[in-house]
Amino acid sequence: MIDDEGQQIGILPPFEALKMAREKNLDLVEISPTAVPPVCRIMDYGKFLYQQEKKEREAKKHQTKIVVKEVKFRINVDDHDYETKKNHVLRFLDEGDKVKATIFFRGREMTRTMLGRQILERLIKDVEGNAIVEFRPRQEGNTLHAILAPKKSAQEREKEKAKEEKAREKQAAAQPAH
């Protein structure tokens, strides 16, 4: 038995422990039911639950949310359009987001799914330095998609940015003023 200040009281029968808790207008909470004898504590259970919820909310604030951005291609995509969309994919990956590259087939395009596969394979090859392929290109109905994830974690990217900033500052300081 542990009292509300955290002091060990010792082994007490349950009714005495309950009586002590009620005298202090607190609850008797079983902490370790498997221990012999079971360990109980006198505490304000409502306050305890509130503090637990508060800790969980605080932990949730520090979690990084994984965002999946989608980039859509067509099988007859022009080289310039492909380059633009590839740059979008690279930017999303640098920001730490996952990317879903999708090719949507309409009508007779369903007979040319190999063209779509070639576009996605080309994209994967072009961004392989920055991305990990989570799902290889696969077909679901009339869409073909692949999912790419950033290679580095958010913390590693932050460290890299800080190093680049320091290098720029050193370069700026080393250059003589005109």
PDB file of all heavy atoms in Angstrom, residues 91-115:
ATOM      1  N   ARG A  91      10.805  17.530 -54.943  1.00  0.00           N
ATOM      2  CA  ARG A  91      10.536  18.544 -53.918  1.00  0.00           C
ATOM      3  C   ARG A  91       9.735  17.939 -52.757  1.00  0.00           C
ATOM      4  O   ARG A  91      10.047  18.171 -51.589  1.00  0.00           O
ATOM      5  CB  ARG A  91       9.770  19.726 -54.527  1.00  0.00           C
ATOM      6  CG  ARG A  91       9.650  20.893 -53.549  1.00  0.00           C
ATOM      7  CD  ARG A  91       8.823  22.010 -54.085  1.00  0.00           C
ATOM      8  NE  ARG A  91       7.417  21.609 -54.061  1.00  0.00           N
ATOM      9  CZ  ARG A  91       6.541  21.892 -54.999  1.00  0.00           C
ATOM     10  NH1 ARG A  91       6.887  22.564 -56.065  1.00  0.00           N
ATOM     11  NH2 ARG A  91       5.280  21.496 -54.902  1.00  0.00           N
ATOM     12  N   PHE A  92       8.707  17.144 -53.088  1.00  0.00           N
ATOM     13  CA  PHE A  92       7.903  16.506 -52.040  1.00  0.00           C
ATOM     14  C   PHE A  92       8.763  15.587 -51.190  1.00  0.00           C
ATOM     15  O   PHE A  92       8.637  15.554 -49.962  1.00  0.00           O
ATOM     16  CB  PHE A  92       6.742  15.710 -52.650  1.00  0.00           C
ATOM     17  CG  PHE A  92       5.707  16.554 -53.347  1.00  0.00           C
ATOM     18  CD1 PHE A  92       4.994  16.048 -54.425  1.00  0.00           C
ATOM     19  CD2 PHE A  92       5.424  17.844 -52.937  1.00  0.00           C
ATOM     20  CE1 PHE A  92       4.028  16.810 -55.070  1.00  0.00           C
ATOM     21  CE2 PHE A  92       4.469  18.614 -53.568  1.00  0.00           C
ATOM     22  CZ  PHE A  92       3.768  18.094 -54.639  1.00  0.00           C
ATOM     23  N   LEU A  93       9.645  14.824 -51.836  1.00  0.00           N
ATOM     24  CA  LEU A  93      10.518  13.913 -51.097  1.00  0.00           C
ATOM     25  C   LEU A  93      11.475  14.689 -50.193  1.00  0.00           C
ATOM     26  O   LEU A  93      11.737  14.281 -49.058  1.00  0.00           O
ATOM     27  CB  LEU A  93      11.300  13.015 -52.055  1.00  0.00           C
ATOM     28  CG  LEU A  93      10.470  11.967 -52.799  1.00  0.00           C
ATOM     29  CD1 LEU A  93      11.290  11.328 -53.906  1.00  0.00           C
ATOM     30  CD2 LEU A  93       9.938  10.912 -51.852  1.00  0.00           C
ATOM     31  N   ASP A  94      11.983  15.835 -50.672  1.00  0.00           N
ATOM     32  CA  ASP A  94      12.878  16.667 -49.852  1.00  0.00           C
ATOM     33  C   ASP A  94      12.152  17.228 -48.642  1.00  0.00           C
ATOM     34  O   ASP A  94      12.752  17.427 -47.587  1.00  0.00           O
ATOM     35  CB  ASP A  94      13.457  17.822 -50.681  1.00  0.00           C
ATOM     36  CG  ASP A  94      14.567  17.351 -51.603  1.00  0.00           C
ATOM     37  OD1 ASP A  94      15.100  16.245 -51.376  1.00  0.00           O
ATOM     38  OD2 ASP A  94      14.899  18.093 -52.552  1.00  0.00           O
ATOM     39  N   GLU A  95      10.861  17.492 -48.793  1.00  0.00           N
ATOM     40  CA  GLU A  95      10.069  18.002 -47.667  1.00  0.00           C
ATOM     41  C   GLU A  95       9.700  16.898 -46.689  1.00  0.00           C
ATOM     42  O   GLU A  95       9.119  17.155 -45.648  1.00  0.00           O
ATOM     43  CB  GLU A  95       8.795  18.673 -48.191  1.00  0.00           C
ATOM     44  CG  GLU A  95       9.063  19.965 -48.934  1.00  0.00           C
ATOM     45  CD  GLU A  95       7.842  20.518 -49.652  1.00  0.00           C
ATOM     46  OE1 GLU A  95       6.749  19.888 -49.578  1.00  0.00           O
ATOM     47  OE2 GLU A  95       7.973  21.565 -50.302  1.00  0.00           O
ATOM     48  N   GLY A  96      10.003  15.647 -47.041  1.00  0.00           N
ATOM     49  CA  GLY A  96       9.741  14.534 -46.131  1.00  0.00           C
ATOM     50  C   GLY A  96       8.411  13.842 -46.363  1.00  0.00           C
ATOM     51  O   GLY A  96       7.983  13.038 -45.538  1.00  0.00           O
ATOM     52  N   ASP A  97       7.740  14.161 -47.453  1.00  0.00           N
ATOM     53  CA  ASP A  97       6.451  13.538 -47.743  1.00  0.00           C
ATOM     54  C   ASP A  97       6.641  12.313 -48.625  1.00  0.00           C
ATOM     55  O   ASP A  97       7.579  12.236 -49.402  1.00  0.00           O
ATOM     56  CB  ASP A  97       5.531  14.530 -48.465  1.00  0.00           C
ATOM     57  CG  ASP A  97       5.250  15.761 -47.633  1.00  0.00           C
ATOM     58  OD1 ASP A  97       5.215  15.633 -46.400  1.00  0.00           O
ATOM     59  OD2 ASP A  97       5.075  16.843 -48.215  1.00  0.00           O
ATOM     60  N   LYS A  98       5.705  11.371 -48.494  1.00  0.00           N
ATOM     61  CA  LYS A  98       5.699  10.238 -49.420  1.00  0.00           C
ATOM     62  C   LYS A  98       5.010  10.693 -50.696  1.00  0.00           C
ATOM     63  O   LYS A  98       4.211  11.629 -50.682  1.00  0.00           O
ATOM     64  CB  LYS A  98       4.920   9.062 -48.820  1.00  0.00           C
ATOM     65  CG  LYS A  98       5.635   8.382 -47.691  1.00  0.00           C
ATOM     66  CD  LYS A  98       4.864   7.161 -47.241  1.00  0.00           C
ATOM     67  CE  LYS A  98       5.597   6.465 -46.121  1.00  0.00           C
ATOM     68  NZ  LYS A  98       4.901   5.236 -45.723  1.00  0.00           N
ATOM     69  N   VAL A  99       5.324  10.024 -51.799  1.00  0.00           N
ATOM     70  CA  VAL A  99       4.738  10.403 -53.084  1.00  0.00           C
ATOM     71  C   VAL A  99       4.097   9.186 -53.727  1.00  0.00           C
ATOM     72  O   VAL A  99       4.705   8.113 -53.785  1.00  0.00           O
ATOM     73  CB  VAL A  99       5.809  10.986 -54.033  1.00  0.00           C
ATOM     74  CG1 VAL A  99       5.198  11.312 -55.385  1.00  0.00           C
ATOM     75  CG2 VAL A  99       6.445  12.215 -53.425  1.00  0.00           C
ATOM     76  N   LYS A 100       2.864   9.375 -54.190  1.00  0.00           N
ATOM     77  CA  LYS A 100       2.171   8.328 -54.931  1.00  0.00           C
ATOM     78  C   LYS A 100       2.119   8.782 -56.383  1.00  0.00           C
ATOM     79  O   LYS A 100       1.469   9.776 -56.706  1.00  0.00           O
ATOM     80  CB  LYS A 100       0.757   8.138 -54.374  1.00  0.00           C
ATOM     81  CG  LYS A 100      -0.037   7.061 -55.070  1.00  0.00           C
ATOM     82  CD  LYS A 100      -1.407   6.933 -54.415  1.00  0.00           C
ATOM     83  CE  LYS A 100      -2.220   5.840 -55.058  1.00  0.00           C
ATOM     84  NZ  LYS A 100      -3.535   5.706 -54.430  1.00  0.00           N
ATOM     85  N   ALA A 101       2.856   8.082 -57.235  1.00  0.00           N
ATOM     86  CA  ALA A 101       2.857   8.403 -58.668  1.00  0.00           C
ATOM     87  C   ALA A 101       1.781   7.550 -59.324  1.00  0.00           C
ATOM     88  O   ALA A 101       1.804   6.323 -59.206  1.00  0.00           O
ATOM     89  CB  ALA A 101       4.225   8.119 -59.267  1.00  0.00           C
ATOM     90  N   THR A 102       0.854   8.192 -60.007  1.00  0.00           N
ATOM     91  CA  THR A 102      -0.306   7.500 -60.564  1.00  0.00           C
ATOM     92  C   THR A 102      -0.426   7.741 -62.054  1.00  0.00           C
ATOM     93  O   THR A 102      -0.221   8.857 -62.526  1.00  0.00           O
ATOM     94  CB  THR A 102      -1.600   8.013 -59.887  1.00  0.00           C
ATOM     95  OG1 THR A 102      -1.480   7.881 -58.484  1.00  0.00           O
ATOM     96  CG2 THR A 102      -2.814   7.240 -60.350  1.00  0.00           C
ATOM     97  N   ILE A 103      -0.779   6.688 -62.757  1.00  0.00           N
ATOM     98  CA  ILE A 103      -1.112   6.811 -64.175  1.00  0.00           C
ATOM     99  C   ILE A 103      -2.517   6.253 -64.328  1.00  0.00           C
ATOM    100  O   ILE A 103      -2.789   5.120 -63.930  1.00  0.00           O
ATOM    101  CB  ILE A 103      -0.112   6.050 -65.064  1.00  0.00           C
ATOM    102  CG1 ILE A 103       1.268   6.678 -64.915  1.00  0.00           C
ATOM    103  CG2 ILE A 103      -0.569   6.073 -66.508  1.00  0.00           C
ATOM    104  CD1 ILE A 103       2.353   6.028 -65.705  1.00  0.00           C
ATOM    105  N   PHE A 104      -3.397   7.072 -64.875  1.00  0.00           N
ATOM    106  CA  PHE A 104      -4.797   6.705 -65.048  1.00  0.00           C
ATOM    107  C   PHE A 104      -5.025   6.406 -66.524  1.00  0.00           C
ATOM    108  O   PHE A 104      -4.714   7.218 -67.375  1.00  0.00           O
ATOM    109  CB  PHE A 104      -5.680   7.873 -64.579  1.00  0.00           C
ATOM    110  CG  PHE A 104      -7.151   7.576 -64.617  1.00  0.00           C
ATOM    111  CD1 PHE A 104      -7.730   6.740 -63.676  1.00  0.00           C
ATOM    112  CD2 PHE A 104      -7.964   8.132 -65.591  1.00  0.00           C
ATOM    113  CE1 PHE A 104      -9.083   6.473 -63.703  1.00  0.00           C
ATOM    114  CE2 PHE A 104      -9.318   7.866 -65.623  1.00  0.00           C
ATOM    115  CZ  PHE A 104      -9.871   7.044 -64.682  1.00  0.00           C
ATOM    116  N   PHE A 105      -5.533   5.224 -66.803  1.00  0.00           N
ATOM    117  CA  PHE A 105      -5.774   4.821 -68.190  1.00  0.00           C
ATOM    118  C   PHE A 105      -7.240   5.035 -68.542  1.00  0.00           C
ATOM    119  O   PHE A 105      -8.120   4.639 -67.791  1.00  0.00           O
ATOM    120  CB  PHE A 105      -5.428   3.341 -68.393  1.00  0.00           C
ATOM    121  CG  PHE A 105      -3.990   3.029 -68.114  1.00  0.00           C
ATOM    122  CD1 PHE A 105      -3.614   2.421 -66.930  1.00  0.00           C
ATOM    123  CD2 PHE A 105      -3.012   3.329 -69.049  1.00  0.00           C
ATOM    124  CE1 PHE A 105      -2.290   2.128 -66.671  1.00  0.00           C
ATOM    125  CE2 PHE A 105      -1.685   3.035 -68.794  1.00  0.00           C
ATOM    126  CZ  PHE A 105      -1.318   2.435 -67.605  1.00  0.00           C
ATOM    127  N   ARG A 106      -7.474   5.652 -69.726  1.00  0.00           N
ATOM    128  CA  ARG A 106      -8.851   5.862 -70.188  1.00  0.00           C
ATOM    129  C   ARG A 106      -9.072   5.097 -71.482  1.00  0.00           C
ATOM    130  O   ARG A 106      -8.215   5.122 -72.369  1.00  0.00           O
ATOM    131  CB  ARG A 106      -9.111   7.344 -70.451  1.00  0.00           C
ATOM    132  CG  ARG A 106      -9.183   8.166 -69.192  1.00  0.00           C
ATOM    133  CD  ARG A 106      -9.711   9.543 -69.458  1.00  0.00           C
ATOM    134  NE  ARG A 106      -8.872  10.240 -70.455  1.00  0.00           N
ATOM    135  CZ  ARG A 106      -8.864  11.554 -70.609  1.00  0.00           C
ATOM    136  NH1 ARG A 106      -9.632  12.307 -69.871  1.00  0.00           N
ATOM    137  NH2 ARG A 106      -8.097  12.105 -71.528  1.00  0.00           N
ATOM    138  N   GLY A 107     -10.200   4.445 -71.565  1.00  0.00           N
ATOM    139  CA  GLY A 107     -10.612   3.792 -72.812  1.00  0.00           C
ATOM    140  C   GLY A 107      -9.587   2.833 -73.387  1.00  0.00           C
ATOM    141  O   GLY A 107      -9.163   1.889 -72.741  1.00  0.00           O
ATOM    142  N   ARG A 108      -9.166   3.121 -74.610  1.00  0.00           N
ATOM    143  CA  ARG A 108      -8.242   2.231 -75.313  1.00  0.00           C
ATOM    144  C   ARG A 108      -6.830   2.248 -74.739  1.00  0.00           C
ATOM    145  O   ARG A 108      -6.008   1.418 -75.112  1.00  0.00           O
ATOM    146  CB  ARG A 108      -8.188   2.609 -76.796  1.00  0.00           C
ATOM    147  CG  ARG A 108      -9.483   2.317 -77.493  1.00  0.00           C
ATOM    148  CD  ARG A 108      -9.347   2.591 -78.962  1.00  0.00           C
ATOM    149  NE  ARG A 108     -10.617   2.395 -79.620  1.00  0.00           N
ATOM    150  CZ  ARG A 108     -10.971   2.999 -80.724  1.00  0.00           C
ATOM    151  NH1 ARG A 108     -10.140   3.855 -81.304  1.00  0.00           N
ATOM    152  NH2 ARG A 108     -12.130   2.759 -81.280  1.00  0.00           N
ATOM    153  N   GLU A 109      -6.546   3.217 -73.854  1.00  0.00           N
ATOM    154  CA  GLU A 109      -5.222   3.262 -73.237  1.00  0.00           C
ATOM    155  C   GLU A 109      -4.955   2.011 -72.402  1.00  0.00           C
ATOM    156  O   GLU A 109      -3.808   1.689 -72.120  1.00  0.00           O
ATOM    157  CB  GLU A 109      -5.082   4.507 -72.351  1.00  0.00           C
ATOM    158  CG  GLU A 109      -5.027   5.798 -73.136  1.00  0.00           C
ATOM    159  CD  GLU A 109      -4.998   7.024 -72.242  1.00  0.00           C
ATOM    160  OE1 GLU A 109      -5.127   6.874 -71.003  1.00  0.00           O
ATOM    161  OE2 GLU A 109      -4.833   8.134 -72.768  1.00  0.00           O
ATOM    162  N   MET A 110      -6.018   1.311 -72.023  1.00  0.00           N
ATOM    163  CA  MET A 110      -5.858   0.089 -71.207  1.00  0.00           C
ATOM    164  C   MET A 110      -5.044  -0.968 -71.951  1.00  0.00           C
ATOM    165  O   MET A 110      -4.440  -1.832 -71.334  1.00  0.00           O
ATOM    166  CB  MET A 110      -7.214  -0.506 -70.818  1.00  0.00           C
ATOM    167  CG  MET A 110      -7.892   0.197 -69.666  1.00  0.00           C
ATOM    168  SD  MET A 110      -6.952   0.150 -68.143  1.00  0.00           S
ATOM    169  CE  MET A 110      -7.154  -1.549 -67.669  1.00  0.00           C
ATOM    170  N   THR A 111      -5.029  -0.901 -73.280  1.00  0.00           N
ATOM    171  CA  THR A 111      -4.236  -1.876 -74.040  1.00  0.00           C
ATOM    172  C   THR A 111      -2.757  -1.502 -74.057  1.00  0.00           C
ATOM    173  O   THR A 111      -1.931  -2.299 -74.487  1.00  0.00           O
ATOM    174  CB  THR A 111      -4.748  -1.969 -75.494  1.00  0.00           C
ATOM    175  OG1 THR A 111      -4.620  -0.683 -76.101  1.00  0.00           O
ATOM    176  CG2 THR A 111      -6.188  -2.435 -75.544  1.00  0.00           C
ATOM    177  N   ARG A 112      -2.413  -0.293 -73.582  1.00  0.00           N
ATOM    178  CA  ARG A 112      -1.024   0.187 -73.620  1.00  0.00           C
ATOM    179  C   ARG A 112      -0.461   0.350 -72.206  1.00  0.00           C
ATOM    180  O   ARG A 112       0.272   1.295 -71.932  1.00  0.00           O
ATOM    181  CB  ARG A 112      -0.948   1.550 -74.327  1.00  0.00           C
ATOM    182  CG  ARG A 112      -1.800   1.730 -75.563  1.00  0.00           C
ATOM    183  CD  ARG A 112      -1.317   1.026 -76.806  1.00  0.00           C
ATOM    184  NE  ARG A 112      -0.018   1.392 -77.349  1.00  0.00           N
ATOM    185  CZ  ARG A 112       0.266   2.492 -78.002  1.00  0.00           C
ATOM    186  NH1 ARG A 112      -0.629   3.435 -78.147  1.00  0.00           N
ATOM    187  NH2 ARG A 112       1.468   2.667 -78.509  1.00  0.00           N
ATOM    188  N   THR A 113      -0.796  -0.548 -71.300  1.00  0.00           N
ATOM    189  CA  THR A 113      -0.334  -0.402 -69.911  1.00  0.00           C
ATOM    190  C   THR A 113       1.184  -0.463 -69.795  1.00  0.00           C
ATOM    191  O   THR A 113       1.749   0.063 -68.837  1.00  0.00           O
ATOM    192  CB  THR A 113      -0.959  -1.477 -68.996  1.00  0.00           C
ATOM    193  OG1 THR A 113      -0.649  -2.758 -69.514  1.00  0.00           O
ATOM    194  CG2 THR A 113      -2.454  -1.292 -68.876  1.00  0.00           C
ATOM    195  N   MET A 114       1.849  -1.074 -70.762  1.00  0.00           N
ATOM    196  CA  MET A 114       3.318  -1.142 -70.708  1.00  0.00           C
ATOM    197  C   MET A 114       3.944   0.249 -70.816  1.00  0.00           C
ATOM    198  O   MET A 114       4.972   0.516 -70.210  1.00  0.00           O
ATOM    199  CB  MET A 114       3.868  -2.053 -71.814  1.00  0.00           C
ATOM    200  CG  MET A 114       3.853  -3.524 -71.466  1.00  0.00           C
ATOM    201  SD  MET A 114       4.472  -3.910 -69.817  1.00  0.00           S
ATOM    202  CE  MET A 114       6.189  -3.464 -69.942  1.00  0.00           C
ATOM    203  N   LEU A 115       3.308   1.145 -71.571  1.00  0.00           N
ATOM    204  CA  LEU A 115       3.818   2.523 -71.657  1.00  0.00           C
ATOM    205  C   LEU A 115       3.783   3.194 -70.281  1.00  0.00           C
ATOM    206  O   LEU A 115       4.722   3.887 -69.893  1.00  0.00           O
ATOM    207  CB  LEU A 115       2.988   3.346 -72.649  1.00  0.00           C
ATOM    208  CG  LEU A 115       3.178   3.038 -74.130  1.00  0.00           C
ATOM    209  CD1 LEU A 115       2.197   3.835 -74.959  1.00  0.00           C
ATOM    210  CD2 LEU A 115       4.600   3.333 -74.546  1.00  0.00           C
TER     211      LEU A 115
END
